[in-house]
């Protein structure tokens, strides 16, 4: 059997991820309807871990193991687990935990399937609203995506930089947050406006739907973006992981037709490592 023949169909992995994400979203919605409890904190006292976060990840891992016991796992709240199948699941059980804590309806279950080091399927499900974004790679490597089972509208059309709405997020680390704020002050006058939605996965999917024109953030993790990144690329976006001014991973996402101009504006504002802000711009 060839390596190609031994690969699991990406569409089947996406279907499994969607089934599991729906179950996890039911759990998250149920917990949201009760008193939300904080189980722990992570990088700082404001970086919270709701108890529902851990319960959601336990459920996701259990359901995936029942169907695919030999797969590996990488999750935000649990330990990494090795596998032998060549498939690894990348899990964010609640992306947007502060939104969840406050009852803001923008938090998602994100599940991606990586095969031989490449993300081939992904699901982002807004647990508060039920909106489902699903993507997978076709046999020829082309990414395709849907929203609630139907066509995804796709990225916004070309627009001057001054008319682009940009989404972002801020670190829980105070020193990095200060760097981000200073750069944002320089970018803000050059774009239409800035939005802070509170879920990286949904931010990226909003680029895919044309609700915003771009997204950037330093300090995201692979579980924040793996599934949504595939959705965005299927919808006509270009994405990049580079190094930010604070020394951590910087993620950029924008329509392919305007990506280079957006990236240059980000560089000039001082978001990227090794680039002093162009104060004369």
């Amino acid at each position: 059997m060839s390596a190609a023949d031994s690969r699991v169909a990406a569409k089947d992995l996406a279907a499994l991820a969607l089934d599991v994400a729906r179950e996890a979203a039911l759990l998250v919605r149920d917990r949201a309807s009760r008193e939300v409890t904080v189980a722990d904190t992570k990088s700082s006292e404001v970086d919270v871990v709701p108890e529902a976060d851990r319960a959601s990840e336990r459920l996701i891992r259990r359901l995936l193991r029942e169907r695919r016991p030999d797969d590996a796992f990488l999750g935000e709240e649990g330990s990494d687990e090795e596998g032998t199948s060549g498939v690894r699941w990348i899990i964010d059980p609640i992306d947007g935990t502060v939104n969840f804590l406050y009852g803001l309806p923008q938090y998602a279950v994100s599940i991606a399937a990586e095969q031989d080091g490449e993300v081939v399927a992904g699901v982002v499900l807004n647990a508060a609203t039920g909106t489902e974004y699903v993507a997978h790679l076709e046999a020829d490597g082309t990414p395709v995506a849907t929203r609630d089972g139907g066509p995804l509208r796709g990225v916004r059309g070309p627009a001057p930089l001054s008319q682009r709405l940009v989404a972002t997020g801020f670190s829980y680390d105070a020193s990095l947050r200060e760097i981000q704020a200073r750069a944002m002050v320089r970018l803000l006058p050059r774009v239409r406006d800035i939005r802070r939605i509170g879920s990286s996965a949904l931010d990226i999917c909003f680029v895919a739907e044309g609700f915003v024109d771009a997204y950037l953030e330093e300090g995201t993790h692979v579980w924040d973006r793996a599934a949504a990144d595939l959705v965005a690329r299927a919808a006509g976006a270009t994405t990049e992981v580079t190094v930010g001014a604070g020394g951590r991973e910087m993620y950029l996402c924008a329509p392919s037709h305007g990506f280079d101009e957006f990236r240059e504006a980000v560089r000039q504002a001082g978001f990227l490592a090794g680039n002093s802000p162009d104060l004369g711009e």
Side-chain angles (χ1 to χ4, degrees):
M1 180 182 292
S2 70
D5 291 335
S6 67
R7 288 175 66 88
V8 182
K11 191 171 184 178
D12 292 340
L13 293 174
L16 174 57
L18 179 58
D19 287 344
V20 172
R22 285 171 172 168
E23 292 296 321
L26 287 174
L27 180 151
V28 172
R29 280 198 294 272
D30 177 67
R31 299 299 175 89
S33 68
R34 311 178 193 180
E35 181 180 357
V36 176
T37 58
V38 175
D40 202 353
T41 58
K42 291 181 284 188
S43 60
S44 73
E45 63 181 11
V46 296
D47 188 5
V48 297
V49 182
E51 186 277 333
D53 221 339
R54 292 178 173 175
S56 176
E57 183 160 330
R58 287 193 298 268
L59 175 65
I60 292 168
R61 289 181 185 239
R62 178 174 63 79
L63 293 176
L64 290 173
R65 278 199 204 96
E66 288 175 358
R67 295 276 294 276
R68 299 189 52 83
D70 298 324
D71 291 351
F73 291 88
L74 172 64
E76 181 179 16
E77 303 306 334
S79 59
D80 299 349
E81 298 181 49
E82 299 294 328
T84 59
S85 67
V87 172
R88 182 174 74 157
W89 296 96
I90 303 171
I91 303 163
D92 195 340
I94 303 179
D95 184 68
T97 51
V98 173
N99 285 353
F100 173 78
L101 184 66
Y102 278 77
L104 295 171
Q106 298 294 337
Y107 46 89
V109 175
S110 176
I111 304 174
E114 185 182 70
Q115 189 158 204
D116 301 326
E118 179 184 23
V119 174
V120 299
V123 171
V124 177
L125 198 163
N126 187 329
T129 67
T131 302
E132 300 173 345
Y133 301 94
V134 182
H136 71 274
L137 292 184
E138 298 278 34
D140 63 358
T142 301
V144 295
T146 61
R147 180 191 189 275
D148 294 335
L152 190 62
R153 185 173 65 178
V155 299
R156 282 174 58 86
L161 183 65
S162 62
Q163 295 178 21
R164 298 186 204 175
L165 184 63
V166 177
T168 193
F170 298 100
S171 173
Y172 292 110
D173 179 88
S175 60
L176 179 53
R177 189 176 291 205
E178 183 175 354
I179 293 171
Q180 293 170 318
R182 291 180 186 276
M184 193 60 62
V185 166
R186 291 185 285 266
L187 180 65
L188 181 56
R190 303 189 61 191
V191 299
R192 184 187 293 275
D193 208 344
I194 301 293
R195 290 292 180 270
R196 181 6 174 181
I197 295 164
S199 164
S200 298
L202 292 176
D203 281 327
I204 298 165
C205 289
F206 288 171
V207 176
E209 279 215 83
F211 292 152
V212 296
D213 295 283
Y215 166 70
L216 77 156
E217 184 172 352
E218 180 175 356
T220 62
H221 301 281
V222 63
W223 50 75
D224 298 315
R225 60 181 186 255
D229 182 86
L230 191 60
V231 174
R233 290 190 287 112
T238 292
T239 65
E240 179 184 353
V241 178
T242 184
V243 181
R248 307 184 195 185
E249 287 189 350
M250 164 68 81
Y251 180 82
L252 305 173
C253 177
S256 297
H257 54 70
F259 183 85
D260 290 343
E261 185 182 13
F262 172 67
R263 190 190 193 282
E264 178 59 15
V266 167
R267 185 198 68 79
Q268 290 174 359
F271 280 101
L272 304 183
N275 288 294
S276 299
D278 293 347
L279 299 179
E281 290 292 327

